[in-house]
Amino acid sequence: MKKLSKNREEKKFTYATLLFTIASVFSILLSLYFATAINFILKDINSIYKINAIRTYDVIWYFNKIKNYHFFYVLIIIISIYSFLIFLVRLFFSIIYFEKISVSIYLKDGTVFEDKFIINHNIDGGIIIGDSYLKKAENKKLIPKSNILYISFNKVDYSFGKRNEKSKIIIPNQILENELIKEWRTKTSS
């Protein structure tokens, strides 16, 4: 059963990688096409009104000489369409990769809620936490603010809809020497 779920995850990752590549190429080509279209319009304005600008973007400084407003309408439509399509691409990328903040809440009585998400931070003098960042999260709890000793915040990355786990590398100064000795003794005694 684990092999099936791992195979599905690999297929999802391959599919997501393919979508990411297609979206990247699409956004690059989209930018090139729209930049070329705007460049051609500015070049036509330059030649029709004999502005004699060296570069096409220099034509922008001579817009007051243009009597025909159809060029402006076309430019505004092209820029609007381009902005909308880039917005859709950015929305797609934000669905693929996003970050959320998880919290570890330490209560005055010694209870610790680790790796939870704040669902509502201001409800009847307390906060609602859950196992996920969604409002329909499971295991929701209402914690009175007066019982909270302190809260620590952690950034959680999601990539392709899957939570990225942080590295489990332990730096030597994070471990006490006694813990290492105890761990070594338990391994050697068994």
Side-chain angles (χ1 to χ4, degrees):
M1 189 66 157
K2 282 189 175 185
K3 185 167 178 107
L4 285 174
S5 64
K6 188 173 183 180
N7 194 17
R8 284 183 190 154
E9 284 188 21
E10 287 176 1
K11 284 182 181 179
K12 284 182 184 177
F13 182 77
T14 304
Y15 180 67
T17 304
L18 180 67
L19 283 176
F20 178 78
T21 305
I22 290 171
S24 298
V25 170
F26 174 75
S27 64
I28 291 169
L29 289 176
L30 183 74
S31 295
L32 288 174
Y33 289 141
F34 277 93
T36 303
I38 291 172
N39 205 17
F40 279 133
I41 291 171
L42 292 176
K43 186 177 175 185
D44 286 344
I45 292 172
N46 190 19
S47 63
I48 291 171
Y49 291 100
K50 297 182 180 30
I51 295 173
N52 298 327
I54 297 170
R55 292 175 292 272
T56 53
Y57 64 81
D58 288 339
V59 174
I60 295 171
W61 301 111
Y62 298 99
F63 274 176
N64 59 348
K65 292 184 178 180
I66 299 171
K67 305 292 186 256
N68 187 354
Y69 292 109
H70 296 296
F71 288 114
F72 292 120
Y73 297 139
V74 172
L75 282 173
I76 289 172
I77 289 171
I78 287 175
I79 291 171
S80 299
I81 292 171
Y82 174 73
S83 299
F84 176 71
L85 291 174
I86 288 297
F87 169 76
L88 291 178
V89 170
R90 287 182 54 99
L91 182 66
F92 175 74
F93 283 126
S94 70
I95 290 170
I96 288 178
Y97 178 82
F98 58 94
E99 299 170 343
K100 292 291 180 184
I101 303 294
S102 72
V103 295
S104 295
I105 300 175
Y106 298 86
L107 301 181
K108 291 178 181 175
D109 65 359
T111 308
V112 178
F113 296 103
E114 289 189 34
D115 203 27
K116 301 292 182 183
F117 292 90
I118 295 177
I119 297 172
N120 191 336
H121 68 282
N122 190 18
I123 187 162
D124 295 333
I127 59 173
I128 295 179
I129 61 170
D131 289 338
S132 77
Y133 58 89
L134 302 171
K135 292 197 186 277
K136 59 182 179 179
E138 295 181 11
N139 299 327
K140 289 190 231 178
K141 291 180 178 50
L142 175 64
I143 301 173
K145 290 182 182 178
S146 59
N147 292 348
I148 297 174
L149 183 62
Y150 71 92
I151 300 174
S152 66
F153 297 87
N154 308 309
K155 183 178 81 159
V156 180
D157 299 327
Y158 288 87
S159 178
F160 299 114
K162 185 178 173 187
R163 183 178 179 154
N164 292 340
E165 295 299 324
K166 295 202 178 200
S167 172
K168 302 292 184 194
I169 297 173
I170 299 173
I171 300 171
N173 64 2
Q174 293 176 334
I175 299 178
L176 296 174
E177 206 169 313
N178 293 336
E179 291 177 13
L180 286 174
I181 293 170
K182 286 178 186 175
E183 186 177 326
W184 178 75
R185 285 185 181 158
T186 56
K187 286 182 181 179
T188 56
S189 64
S190 48

